Amino acid sequence: MEFADVVRRRKMVRNYTDEPVDPAVVDRALDNAVRAPSAGFSQGWGFLVLDTPDEVRRYWAATADDLDQPDEWLAGMMRAPVVIVPCSSKAAYLGRYAEPDKGWTDRDEARWPVPFWHMDAAMASLLILQTAVDEGLGACFFGIPPEKVPAARAEFAIPETFDPVGSITLGHPATTPGAQGSPTRRRRKDLDEVVHRGNWRATD
């Protein structure tokens, strides 16, 4: 698929069939993910891959409520045969930038204008989403409720040095769209509303 088509066809899929996903496709998605940029080539990411029915069920049991009577969103998402949990490690970045070629030996977080550890994991996640489109699959990035993170961490032994930045479902899209997201209710902004050339200009 042409790159422009991958970009334009990417959308969050919230309803899946129960058809399995080829493990080779999952591997390609992960291989693409680790080609994302990372500050200082810290590569402070980790990916929890859940691709068996038992693992996926345990994920939803740890992170969601009402599994026996799921709403439309949860019912559609639970059918995805693969869940990937991208995680970021702040410690990896603070450690990398304390090395001699960087020299921030105090490991002060105030040196970082934004948390690049989360940004880099997010960029890696986008490459997974784009790979799904290129492979003819669907995917959705969504957050884990903060109060559910400890349960997910305990269930899958996620170390304290890594923090989940969200989760990604991966699978074959169902013919019906399922729960609809904000793009069905909100228009995409025009470029001239969000692009400011030379200086920032006010927009309505």
Side-chain angles (χ1 to χ4, degrees), residues 141-152:
F141 182 96
F142 58 101
I144 301 175
E147 69 275 12
K148 298 291 188 180
V149 170

Side-chain angles (χ1 to χ4, degrees), residues 28-94:
R28 280 196 289 275
L30 295 166
D31 187 58
N32 287 343
V34 299
R35 304 296 298 186
S38 65
F41 207 41
S42 300
Q43 305 172 82
W45 43 48
F47 304 89
L48 173 66
V49 180
L50 309 173
D51 58 4
T52 69
D54 176 67
E55 291 169 349
V56 171
R57 178 75 180 181
R58 286 166 50 209
Y59 169 84
W60 291 113
T63 62
D65 298 319
D66 301 321
L67 263 61
D68 294 328
Q69 294 183 312
D71 62 15
E72 184 183 22
W73 181 90
L74 183 56
M77 295 286 274
M78 285 175 61
R79 281 190 287 272
V82 178
V83 177
I84 299 172
V85 183
C87 301
S88 68
S89 174
K90 176 172 66 176
Y93 284 72
L94 298 184

Side-chain angles (χ1 to χ4, degrees), residues 99-112:
E99 292 177 12
D101 63 322
K102 299 296 184 183
W104 294 355
T105 55
D106 56 12
R107 299 179 184 236
D108 186 357
E109 289 182 51
R111 292 181 178 276
W112 295 85

Side-chain angles (χ1 to χ4, degrees), residues 186-200:
R186 295 169 60 87
R187 70 174 181 84
R188 186 179 302 278
K189 291 183 177 181
D190 295 330
L191 276 182
D192 61 7
E193 295 180 86
V194 297
V195 176
H196 309 275
R197 302 180 189 278
N199 68 311
W200 199 285

Side-chain angles (χ1 to χ4, degrees), residues 141-185:
F141 182 96
F142 58 101
I144 301 175
E147 69 275 12
K148 298 291 188 180
V149 170
R153 190 185 290 281
E155 182 67 30
F156 297 104
I158 300 172
E160 289 297 324
T161 51
F162 282 85
D163 296 307
V165 299
S167 296
I168 301 169
T169 45
L170 183 66
H172 296 269
T175 54
T176 54
Q180 297 297 290
S182 296
T184 63
R185 302 183 300 274

